[in-house]
Amino acid sequence: MPRSPIIRCGIVTRDDQLNQKLVPFDVPPGTTSIYVKYSYTGREGGNAIDLGLLGIDKEFRGYSGGSKFEVTVANDQASPGYIPGLLGVGEWYVLLGVYNITSPASYQVEITLDDSSRPCFKANPAPARASSSQIKRPPGQPPTFRWLKGDFHTHTLYSDGKFTLDELVSKALNRGLDFIFSTEHNTFSANLVWGSHVPAGFLVGRGIEVTTFAGHWNAIGLMPHQFIDPRIYDMRDKDASLVAAVEEVHKSDGFAILNHPFAECKCCEWTFSFHDHIDAIEVWNGPWKRHPKDESNIKAVEKWDKLLREGKIFTASAGSDIHEPRFEIAEPLTRVLSDDVSVSAIIRGLRARHVYITQHPSYEIEFYLCHNGERAGIGDWLKTTEDVIASVTVKGFPECEVRLITENGIAEKTSRTSLSVKMKANYIRVEVRNAQDDMLGLTNPIWIL
Ligand SMILES: [Zn+2]
Ligand SMILES: [Zn+2]
């Protein structure tokens, strides 16, 4: 039977901005469902307060940003973004993430508890390997590698996206992808239920977009119930919180990608350092330009290249960050050279920087260096102090310029679809641009040492 609602109210001011306010309430024995509804004043004027829920001992039980005003968490099910399962007895907290305050906001939280009998939730995460892997290794033979096509950054109704899980998969299949990673903002709730939405041969990897007040990053390759704490514990030493969180990801063999470092939205821009704990940088997020003056991806590629020149090597990766139907999944698309359609093989490919990015799935880049019969592909190292032969061939692109870029800038360019040239450099990478100088394709470098 539902009990009478518990009402909590209060005021938040500009001093609370970019902090979390915890509103405690008691959960008595026998409770099987918690319904939370909240509201606050000044939304029209720009006030924005996010919603989340913590169980006993501040265990994470869900987060929905500003996308939901009422949510349920129960033994057997939960609103998207929230974690179903047994409800611990004791003090719980409604979490109010005070994102933006333009004028003092009065908030009201209404909590309704219910003790009707309910079954227990059973998690059904997606397998970490596609059920019928398309890369088959004949017995006794070395592994066969293929460039898998995927998207490392996607959203659904489980955070602030507009798609159901099935709709996202159907878009991915129509685009010819081999995999996507599910990266909802600060919640793993989708990671618990993808199992019944993944068709044979396709892979959905587990991830979270760790959404902090100092920038966003993707934690991928997580365990089903793994939560990555987005809080910054000391604003004077933000990197300490980042490093601790990334270490949690690495402990489970996961991978950390710094997202959209120059995004224009509030708190989306990266204000941590480009710390070497981070494994990769999303140098291309969504359409190359979201509006004619958008320079966020241009700045990201420039920053990544500057770091390369300084000898700080991050894998360049990409993600569509798709939230809604007017955008395309896997624009841009990331290809990873893998010997299996599995999360671990894809992360191995990312770590080896065997990665390139194109605007469209039909665009392909083949790029390698040769020296004295030794060949090195994208992401590899070639040991020599002498000249090397750089060869690049592009397929499927519209009219474009193919550029070979070294630590000294553009070294060679052509409007033909292939180029083979003798060069000397510390690293060589490829960019493919159209007549407006917009990016159509981009590889990780090959290093020469
Ligand atoms: Zn983001
Ligand atoms: Zn995102």
Side-chain angles (χ1 to χ4, degrees):
M1 285 284 291
R3 303 198 179 95
S4 14
I6 304 161
I7 310 281
R8 298 270 187 273
C9 51
I11 297 217
V12 288
T13 68
R14 230 182 141 70
D15 291 343
D16 300 306
Q17 191 163 268
L18 303 189
N19 277 308
Q20 293 182 341
K21 197 168 189 67
L22 298 184
V23 181
F25 63 97
D26 270 322
V27 171
T31 306
T32 57
S33 168
I34 301 171
Y35 165 83
V36 178
K37 185 175 167 185
Y38 85 128
S39 60
Y40 56 90
T41 58
R43 269 180 75 209
E44 320 68 42
N47 286 347
I49 302 176
D50 294 347
L51 180 67
L53 192 62
L54 302 177
I56 53 167
D57 299 328
K58 299 193 176 147
E59 176 202 22
F60 175 79
R61 291 306 293 252
Y63 176 77
S64 50
S67 67
K68 294 177 182 70
F69 287 89
E70 42 191 319
V71 299
T72 301
V73 174
N75 280 6
D76 57 333
Q77 49 92 19
S79 304
Y82 289 76
I83 312 301
L86 291 176
L87 309 178
V89 175
E91 192 167 54
W92 283 55
Y93 306 87
V94 173
L95 182 156
L96 299 176
V98 186
Y99 177 60
N100 197 43
I101 294 295
T102 53
S103 60
S106 64
Y107 66 82
Q108 178 167 305
V109 178
E110 184 181 315
I111 302 142
T112 308
L113 307 174
D114 192 316
D115 58 5
S116 313
S117 169
R118 288 170 176 267
C120 270
F121 170 76
K122 196 166 178 317
N124 182 16
R129 181 171 187 265
S131 56
S132 58
S133 177
Q134 294 128 317
I135 303 177
K136 296 213 179 345
R137 185 200 300 199
Q141 293 296 307
T144 313
F145 285 85
R146 184 163 72 79
W147 287 103
L148 300 184
K149 291 182 273 187
D151 193 336
F152 285 102
H153 192 162
T154 64
H155 296 278
T156 70
L157 292 170
Y158 279 73
S159 61
D160 57 350
K162 299 280 185 283
F163 303 106
T164 62
L165 303 187
D166 288 334
E167 284 166 349
L168 193 72
V169 165
S170 140
K171 286 182 80 68
L173 295 177
N174 287 338
R175 190 90 163 152
L177 303 188
D178 300 295
F179 69 88
I180 58 170
F181 276 79
S182 171
T183 56
E184 308 293 0
H185 295 284
N186 289 347
T187 179
F188 58 85
S189 77
N191 293 337
L192 301 176
V193 296
W194 264 109
S196 49
H197 303 271
V198 184
F202 190 70
L203 178 74
V204 177
R206 293 187 283 269
I208 293 176
E209 183 169 15
V210 185
T211 304
T212 82
F213 291 139
H216 302 180
W217 56 281
N218 272 353
I220 63 167
L222 301 178
M223 308 297 284
H225 277 89
Q226 191 172 358
F227 178 63
I228 303 300
D229 190 348
R231 283 171 291 181
I232 298 170
Y233 287 92
D234 181 355
M235 284 308 277
R236 293 161 303 179
D237 185 12
K238 291 187 285 188
D239 277 5
S241 300
L242 173 72
V243 165
V246 171
E247 280 176 358
E248 287 303 310
V249 176
H250 288 162
K251 270 187 211 161
S252 54
D253 292 329
F255 192 81
I257 306 172
L258 189 169
N259 290 345
H260 49 64
F262 299 97
E264 293 170 332
C265 51
K266 181 180 162 74
C267 299
C268 297
E269 190 178 0
W270 191 256
T271 62
F272 296 105
S273 73
F274 285 73
H275 200 282
D276 59 10
H277 265 56
I278 289 279
D279 301 303
I281 300 176
E282 185 189 63
V283 298
W284 188 347
N285 171 282
W288 180 249
K289 286 182 178 171
R290 287 182 191 265
H291 57 81
K293 292 198 171 152
D294 179 13
E295 295 197 333
S296 53
N297 287 319
I298 297 170
K299 287 181 188 166
V301 171
E302 283 175 0
K303 177 68 183 182
W304 168 67
D305 195 51
K306 181 169 180 285
L307 291 164
L308 294 180
R309 291 198 304 274
E310 292 167 358
K312 296 172 188 155
I313 307 172
F314 293 89
T315 303
S317 121
S320 69
D321 204 358
I322 188 161
H323 284 77
E324 49 184 304
R326 69 192 168 105
F327 294 109
E328 184 58 87
I329 196 166
E331 182 190 347
L333 170 138
T334 310
R335 279 184 177 78
V336 183
L337 192 62
S338 302
D339 62 352
D340 194 8
V341 189
S342 70
V343 170
S344 57
I346 289 167
I347 290 180
R348 276 199 305 277
L350 285 169
R351 289 200 190 287
R353 293 180 280 277
H354 293 156
V355 177
Y356 76 91
I357 305 160
T358 57
Q359 186 210 17
H360 192 272
S362 63
Y363 305 168
E364 291 178 39
I365 302 175
E366 188 186 12
F367 172 46
Y368 58 92
L369 304 183
C370 277
H371 176 260
N372 278 351
E374 199 185 338
R375 178 177 155 136
I378 293 169
D380 288 338
W381 300 71
L382 196 58
K383 279 198 183 114
T384 179
T385 52
E386 298 172 355
D387 284 1
V388 298
I389 307 289
S391 300
V392 57
T393 302
V394 300
K395 283 186 205 154
F397 285 87
E399 201 169 310
C400 62
E401 184 173 274
V402 180
R403 299 173 181 172
L404 292 178
I405 296 176
T406 74
E407 66 276 15
N408 296 314
I410 300 172
E412 296 283 343
K413 56 186 180 183
T414 180
S415 52
R416 299 195 312 273
T417 54
S418 68
L419 176 70
S420 196
V421 62
K422 198 179 247 193
M423 297 175 66
K424 198 175 173 85
N426 291 337
Y427 67 83
I428 306 173
R429 61 182 186 85
V430 172
E431 285 188 6
V432 185
R433 304 255 187 168
N434 68 12
Q436 288 73 46
D437 208 36
D438 293 338
M439 194 74 80
L440 301 177
L442 167 79
T443 73
N444 273 274
I446 306 175
W447 293 83
I448 309 139
L449 285 177

